[in-house]
Amino acid sequence: MSSLLNSVSSVGISRASSGDRVRAYVPSRSPVSVEFTRRRSLWSTEEFEASRRRLSVRAVETDTDEGKSQAPDKAPASGSSINQLLGIKGAAQETNKWKIRLQLTKPVTWPPLVWGVVCGAAASGNFHWTPEDVAKSIVCMLMSGPCLTGYTQTINDWYDREIDAINEPYRPIPSGAIAEGEVITQIWVLLLAGLGLAGLLDVWAGHDFPTVFYLALGGSLLSYIYSAPPLKLKQNGWVGNFALGASYISLPWWAGQALFGTLTPDVVVLTLLYSIAGLGIAIVNDFKSVEGDRALGLQSLPVAFGTETAKWICVGAIDITQLSIAGYLLASGKPYYALALLALTLPQVFFQFKYFLKDPVQYDVKYQASAQPFLVLGIFVTALATSH
């Protein structure tokens, strides 16, 4: 607006006499209204008012155009309804509140937790295909997946709303598709439902000590400090990603094993080591958020080390962990399990070179869809090995 007014002032100056030009020229940023006052004697009142109206209309148009370009409020036309329900990038814009609530829980993240319960039940050596045991395992899966993982993902989106406004402005919270109060309500409902199911499982299993409840409570606390200040573990790429890996591998395994048997110290150590592979998987999700993480000072590994180095840290954590576990199984006198784990690691390496190492941002979904089934099968093989 100021530049437009100054340009009109220069027109007035050119029409004045040389003496007027010298008197009117002010090198400092003086108010433009003073310049109009000095020129008004040179123009008729009608000319002045017409010029002012033209400037006002032009300035409003410019300001409006700039505002529109800075605040897009619609998802890309190519957004997918399936992606919206799964809670992954490329989602279509949705107005249905229940679909939005489901999107916030990111159902695509539930299967590893559900599978972790299966692995824990297998590792216990006490799971039987009876209606009661199957019902217990299903309730444990509901606790670990939709309830507590849904809580984790919703609270993470809540505290990531500023980052998402940069990286994914079409997500439900930064776009305003769901009200803040509704998000807070969802967080509490999912948390209390998960803890309630955990307590029910302890009673159902006849535990003297509520092991499953305390595992659920500890996991919920870990989820909170992972996302929320002042600790906000995700600010540190190493600590945050290991915490995330432990949440996806160790905690559901421990819950499943405690539900059907006894959680032993050697299994705790083994699963924590396996969580290093989970750290690698967690890094995969950091590449798409580099811009927002850097802007808000979050030291994810792609930000701290750069994309090239971080992607090798990622695949190294995944592969070295599994090879080390295979070596442990071989040394424990379980060669067939060790060979099976090795066989399941090789396809993951193949897909790392085919997709992830080429472009971790473009091919992150393809890589995870191709490689992670082999990773979770390897975890199951390890669980079976510990039960024998």
Side-chain angles (χ1 to χ4, degrees), residues 65-150:
D65 292 341
E66 289 176 355
K68 288 181 179 178
S69 66
Q70 292 171 359
D73 57 358
K74 293 183 179 179
S78 59
S80 165
S81 297
I82 298 298
N83 288 13
Q84 188 273 330
L85 293 176
L86 292 176
I88 58 179
K89 67 180 182 179
Q93 197 81 355
E94 184 57 69
T95 57
N96 183 288
K97 280 297 173 65
W98 289 107
K99 290 183 178 181
I100 292 172
R101 290 185 182 280
L102 183 64
Q103 181 181 0
L104 286 175
T105 66
K106 296 185 183 176
V108 73
T109 63
W110 299 352
L113 281 295
V114 170
W115 189 253
V117 172
V118 173
C119 292
S124 72
N126 293 321
F127 175 84
H128 305 286
W129 287 99
T130 63
E132 183 179 9
D133 280 3
V134 171
K136 285 180 183 177
S137 63
I138 291 174
V139 172
C140 194
M141 291 172 187
L142 288 173
M143 175 199 74
S144 300
C147 291
L148 294 183
T149 304

Side-chain angles (χ1 to χ4, degrees), residues 315-380:
V315 299
I318 296 170
D319 298 341
I320 293 173
T321 297
Q322 294 177 94
L323 293 176
S324 300
I325 298 295
Y328 165 77
L329 295 178
L330 182 63
S332 301
K334 300 172 182 177
Y336 296 111
Y337 290 105
L339 289 173
L341 182 56
L342 178 61
L344 290 167
T345 304
L346 295 177
Q348 297 175 59
V349 176
F350 171 77
F351 288 117
Q352 287 164 2
F353 280 94
K354 182 177 181 180
Y355 294 125
F356 185 73
L357 292 173
K358 283 185 178 179
D359 191 332
V361 177
Q362 181 178 353
Y363 296 117
D364 62 332
V365 175
K366 280 189 176 181
Y367 165 67
Q368 293 189 74
S370 303
Q372 282 199 24
F374 296 99
L375 173 69
V376 298
L377 284 174
I379 297 173
F380 185 67

Side-chain angles (χ1 to χ4, degrees), residues 24-58:
Y25 176 71
V26 181
S28 61
R29 301 185 67 176
S30 58
V32 179
S33 58
V34 175
E35 296 299 317
F36 273 116
T37 302
R38 294 180 180 179
R39 303 299 179 278
R40 193 164 181 174
S41 61
L42 301 177
W43 293 351
S44 67
T45 302
E46 291 79 7
E47 288 175 328
F48 174 79
E49 291 298 328
S51 176
R52 183 181 60 80
R53 285 195 296 270
R54 285 196 301 269
L55 286 172
S56 299
V57 171
R58 191 177 304 172

